[in-house]
Each structure stands twice: as structure tokens, then as C-alpha cells.
Amino acid sequence: MGRLKTKDKTSAIMPLPLQIFIGLEIAAVIVAAFLYVPPARGFADKESARIIIFHVPCAMIATLAYAISTIYAIAYLIRGNTASDMKSAASASLGFLFTALATVTGMIFAKMEWGMAWNWDPREVSILMLMIVYAAYFALRGSILNSAARAKISSVYNIMAGLLMPFFIFVLPRLVPGLHPSNTLTSRSGLSPEYRIALGGAMLGYMMLYIWILRLSVRISEHAMLRRRKSIER
Amino acid sequence: MVGIRITDLTHEFDDRLVFDSLNIAFDGSCLAITGRNGSGKSTLLRILAGLLTPTSGDAAVMIDGFAVPRDLLHNFIGLAAPDVRLYSELSARENLQFLLKTRALKSTSEHVEQVLCEVGLGKRGDDPISELSSGLRQRAALAVALVHEPRVLLLDEPSSNLDEAGIEMVREVIGKYSAAGMVIIATNDPAEAALAETRFDVGGA
Amino acid sequence: MSVVHRASASREQITSRSGLIGYISAVIAVLVKDSRCELRSKQSISAVLLFAVTSTVAVSFTLGAQGQSSAIASTLLWVVIYFSAMAGLSRSFVHEVETYTAPLLKLAAKPNSVYLGKLAFNFLTLIALDIVTVPLFIILMGCGISKPGLFIALLLLGSLALSAGATMAAAMVSRASSKGALFAAISFPLLVPALGLAISGTNIAMGGDAVLTAANCLHLLAYYCGVVITASLMLFRFVWED
């Protein structure tokens, strides 16, 4: 096989010191969530709040990832370069992962704190809609064989779903009768400062992890495309 | 003055290279594009017609020295190809009238009648396409390519399915349109290719 | 070999219609063509109506005799309309691609004329569906309409909203391989806001209570239609053109 090209070494995708830092930092956050952070006051199940340290950053990165995939979708439609489409799809798949994680951690928290895994709370509704949009996006992508058509059509779908986000976040939740206002996480102000530190740490760690995996996955797509081009030339 | 300029045209269809760096500059009246099956003749016509965006390179129709932008090609190009079919529930006449309206063109019924007669559909113009034989459908497809009087006529294997009278009709149409504008024929048939003054061979992939 | 040279047939016989009039006549031409083809083949309208009538009967069979709350009735009505739309509206594009008539349309019409014409066709199909299904539903379910004006307004706006989202989704799915199930799957996220608003508003029109007021529902539905149609007009050509 020969030596790896310079830009394929993992150090080009993320510098080695940073890789080590990310690994240690996330490990530290996990340890802190269980050992450093005290049980939360003002929660029915005092231990349940620990999962918020992971849940909130996941949800935020999920939304960020979707926004980034939509921006790249717009860039693809304007410029037509496949790199933008690759980044859009890569960010979308990461976003899907983080959305799933946010949903599961949210359901665990809800079960521990309020006894029911699903409550039709506004935020739960929004995150569910985001999951459904992602699922439909990938179903669409998977079913179009021509690569140019796939890129264009999934970008259009991405943008249209993105335009409807205000409906998912503000309108849809309000249509559901019988909201439980106490479920919304305003109680975060009742959390001790250790929670803030841990939350910030998780946010930083996940953000860097997102960037790292995104760059890796784009590089892998580039490779797949290069290999296909070589087989065409033959 | 009608011309086509094809510069460095490369097209890949997913995993297959259809053609690579084609260059054609043609200002005459009739061009035949020949080549083996699968060599990309139909694809080239589609790219010229604006139906496909090539992977790289440029294919432009030049009218009086200006390249026609893709969204204005509707009224300058007519394409008749085996995989472009008419609406089978409508008659040939209705198809023609529809396609004139979508181009924002207004025409008299005499004009539509005349085009139908020209391709030999004078008597069957009001029967649904689904009731026509393949030869008659071929004639109807030709009518559809002609009805808006395009400057460039793109024909993909125009004589296939036709009887002798039909082949003669195609010859007349090509003669008439190459005098008025340009005709490009994609064909494997030597007799058809001989109708053109110039031949370009796309070869095999 | 002699070339028969005929004078180019009277250019005077073909004239072009100017700007907006030409555009509108193209849109109407697409609508008329789709309607004519549909009336002659009756394929999608029969699928849509059959589905709507059978599901209405199925729903009211078990629930109708007991007199249901407005919340349930309004939800069921729109679910029936929604799934009937899923059964029939994709044909507007899928049929063109399957019968190879799509290139003809691409050669002869501007993309937005195609979109608007097919949007109009799908909207009329849904209205026809409403005319048949809604009275049947009301009779079989025994539900009362306390605000008929609001009810009809919601039917109209809701049908427009459903057809706007579904037309775009149909265009997207026409390029894909597994068209049937995929159409419903990708339409759902796009149509959910419209569906929710229509159900809420209809609930109010049937005498129930909802979190949003009726005026809000109508405004938001109109806003939804505006967003989807405008976005579709800007994005359609990326889906339609190769």
C-alpha cells in the first residue's frame, strides 16, 4: 500500500495533541458527572440531573449540525461542487446521531424525574420532528441512484425542511393540548455551579468531537469518490 | 446564422465515462453524429437540447454569434428521440397544441394541421397516441419536434420504425430544415448519415 | 438526390405571447393537459376517491354511532384526507417520468410553469376529494359543524397546504427508485405543520377547544402555504432539471 499521503494521516484531520486533549477532556467530563457534581436540589430524583450534562450539549450540537448541513446544501445548489454536498450529508448523519442521543437521554431523564418517558413537551416534540426529518432525508438520499440528482434533490429537501423549522419549534408544540409547564428545563437555574462547569466541558468536548468526526467522514467520502473516478478512467 | 460550439465536453454517467473532451464547432446545415451503440450519441443530443448538464465542458447553440442560455432553449430547439414520448391519452393534435401553449406561442389551427400533414398524420391526427402504431408514433414525435419551427432540429434515429414513405418524408423534412437552420442527426444508419454534409464520429467509449 | 426546398411555413402563423400572459397560459395549459389526461384515464382520481370513501366508512363504522368528540372527529377527517392525498398525488410527476413524457415537458416549458400547473391540478384533485368525502364523513360520523364558514375556509387552505407540500415531494420522488412508500415518508415532515394546524382549526369549527385560536390557525396555514410555495418556486428547477 505504501505510506499514507500527508493529508490522510489522522494528524491532518485533527492535530495529535488535540486528539489526546479531546479524549482526556471527555473522559474527565464523564468522571466529573458522577463523582464531582453533587446531587441536584429541587429535582424529584436527585441523581437524575446528571444526565442533563450530556443531554443538553447533544441537543445543541444536533441543531447546529442540521444548520451546517443546510448551509452546505445551499452552497451546493449555488456552486454545484460535490464537496459541499459531501459535507452537507456528513453533517446530517452526525446530526442524526446526536439527535438520537439527545432523544434517548431526554427519555431517560423524563422517566427518572417524572415517571413517564414521553410527555409531549414542546422540546420533545421539536426533537422528534428533527429525527423524522433526518430519517426522511436519508431515505431520500438512499433511493436516488444518480449522484448529481441525489445531491440536488436531497439539498432541496434539506432546505425545505429547514425553512419549516420555525413551525416545528414554535407552532407544532403549541398545538398539543395539556402542556406540563413544569417539565421545561427552567429549573436549570437551581443547579449548583459544578453543573455549569461540567455542562460547559461536555459542550466543548462534543463540539470538538463533532468537528473531528465531520472532517474524517468528509475525507472518507472524498476517498470513495476518488476511487470511483479511477475506475472510470480505466 | 446558426452554429454549435462543443468545448471539452466530458460526461460520466455514474460509473461510466460516456465521452471525454469532445470538441466540435459546426456552422453548416446538416451534421450527422455516428458511433457504436452506447457511444453517447443520444447523450450528446440531450446535452445540446438542454436536458442534461454535462459533467464538465460546454455545449452551446449559437444563434447569430450568441450562445443561447439554457432556459431560453425551448423555442430554438426541437428534439425527436426514442425515449421522448408523447402523451398517450391525448391525440397528436392535442399534443402539438399543448406544446405550443407551454412555449407561450400562439398559432393558428391551420399551422397545426399543416404540420400534421407534413409528417403524414393528416387523417389520424385526432386519434389518441395510444392507438397509433409505432411508425405513426414516430411521425407524431417528429411533428412535435417541428411544430414550433425551431432553428436547430435534433433527431435521434429519425427513420427507425418508418416505412419507405416515412423515410422519404424524413428526408424532405431534413432537407427543408437544414436549408432554414440546422439539423443534427444521431444515427447508426449509413443511409441516414449520408443525408448530412458533415459527419462526426463519437466512436466507442 | 434533390432536396425539396420549401419556403419556411408562414412565420406569421406562430406568434409569441408576451411575458405574464404567456406565463399564465403555459400554467393553464399544463393544468388543462393534466386534467384531460386524468379524465380520460381516471387513474389517480379513482385511487384517491376509493381510498377516501373506504377509510371514511371504516372509521365511522366503529366510531360513528357513538357520536365522537370534535377533537377525534377533526383528527380522523384530516387523517383520511391526508392519506388519500398520499395515495394519489404523487402521480402528477411519477407518471410523467415512467411514461417518458417528462423530457417533452422539460423541452417545452419553463420549470415554474410546470410546478404551478401541477400544483393547481393537485389542489383541484384534493378539492374534488373534499367535496365527496367531507359530506360523507359528516353524515356517517354524526358530527356537528358549529362554524361552517371557518370549516370551509380550513378545508380550502388545508387542501392548498397539503397539495403545496405534496407537489414538491412528488417531484422529488419521481427521480427516486422506490417511489410509493418513499413519497409518504418524505411528505410527512413537510406536511405535518399543515396537518396539525388544519386539525386544530377544524376542531374549533366543530365546536371544540384548542390551544390556538381559529384566526391563528388560518393565519399560520396561509403563512405555511406562502413559505412552501415560494420556496418551491425557487427550488423546483433543481429538482426538475438535470
Side-chain angles (χ1 to χ4, degrees), chain B residues 49-112:
Chain B
L51 284 179
L52 270 183
T53 311
T55 316
S56 69
D58 189 55
V61 171
M62 318 287 293
I63 306 267
D64 296 333
F66 293 105
V68 181
R70 190 169 155 178
D71 38 339
L72 294 180
L73 277 175
H74 304 300
N75 290 349
F76 292 103
I77 293 259
L79 173 69
D83 48 359
V84 177
R85 296 187 204 157
L86 274 57
Y87 292 100
S88 51
E89 298 98 344
L90 303 179
S91 70
R93 192 187 307 272
E94 286 168 335
N95 269 286
L96 291 177
Q97 285 166 339
F98 169 61
L99 294 164
L100 282 172
K101 289 208 183 94
T102 53
R103 289 182 160 102
L105 293 174
K106 213 166 26 169
S107 87
T108 61
S109 51
E110 288 91 44
H111 172 67
V112 170

Side-chain angles (χ1 to χ4, degrees), chain C:
Chain C
M1 179 174 62
S2 65
V3 172
V4 177
H5 187 95
R6 276 185 217 147
S8 172
S10 34
R11 263 268 143 193
E12 311 86 60
Q13 286 188 317
I14 303 184
T15 49
S16 106
R17 291 189 159 107
S18 61
L20 189 61
I21 299 180
Y23 190 71
I24 294 179
S25 75
V27 170
I28 295 179
V30 173
L31 171 62
V32 167
K33 185 272 295 178
D34 270 1
S35 310
R36 204 175 269 175
C37 286
E38 183 51 42
L39 284 171
R40 289 184 194 174
S41 68
K42 297 188 188 51
Q43 291 222 357
S44 82
I45 195 73
S46 51
V48 166
L49 284 182
L50 191 63
F51 187 96
V53 169
T54 47
S55 42
T56 301
V57 171
V59 153
S60 51
F61 195 72
T62 43
L63 295 176
Q66 305 164 33
Q68 290 304 314
S69 71
S70 57
I72 295 184
S74 55
T75 306
L76 287 172
L77 174 63
W78 279 102
V79 161
V80 166
I81 296 178
Y82 170 74
F83 280 108
S84 309
M86 292 295 99
L89 293 187
S90 64
R91 199 165 178 275
S92 51
F93 283 100
V94 169
H95 186 63
E96 298 256 7
V97 170
E98 285 175 349
T99 53
Y100 296 94
T101 55
L104 204 60
L105 207 49
K106 287 179 198 179
L107 285 171
K110 292 197 198 305
N112 282 350
S113 314
V114 175
Y115 170 73
L116 287 175
K118 291 198 181 275
L119 172 65
F121 177 70
N122 281 337
F123 178 54
L124 288 181
T125 307
L126 272 191
I127 295 289
L129 165 73
D130 290 342
I131 292 176
V132 170
T133 312
V134 170
L136 184 67
F137 186 89
I138 293 176
I139 293 172
L140 289 181
M141 287 290 286
C143 45
I145 313 282
S146 51
K147 305 188 175 75
L150 173 64
F151 184 69
I152 293 183
L154 283 165
L155 272 181
L156 284 174
L157 262 183
S159 302
L160 180 62
L162 285 184
S163 26
T167 305
M168 196 56 176
M172 291 194 246
V173 143
S174 66
R175 308 288 305 275
S177 24
S178 59
K179 303 179 172 52
L182 191 67
F183 177 57
I186 67 169
S187 298
F188 180 66
L190 297 181
L191 293 177
V192 139
L195 202 54
L197 285 167
I199 292 177
S200 256
T202 308
N203 189 4
I204 300 176
M206 285 183 173
D209 272 317
V211 182
L212 292 178
T213 66
N216 276 348
C217 286
L218 286 173
H219 286 157
L220 287 169
L221 264 178
Y223 184 58
Y224 173 90
C225 290
V227 168
V228 172
I229 295 179
T230 309
S232 302
L233 284 172
M234 290 199 289
L235 296 170
F236 181 71
R237 68 179 177 92
F238 293 106
V239 174
W240 182 237
E241 289 178 352
D242 258 319

Side-chain angles (χ1 to χ4, degrees), chain A residues 201-232:
Chain A
M203 191 71 203
L204 177 67
Y206 280 178
M207 177 74 85
M208 298 185 74
L209 197 59
Y210 162 73
I211 295 176
W212 186 3
I213 302 180
L214 183 66
R215 293 180 63 134
L216 253 177
S217 118
V218 170
R219 191 77 200 109
I220 293 175
S221 307
E222 282 174 1
H223 260 289
M225 206 181 74
L226 282 172
R227 205 174 310 142
R228 253 183 287 128
R229 300 200 81 84
K230 286 228 177 72
S231 71
I232 290 177

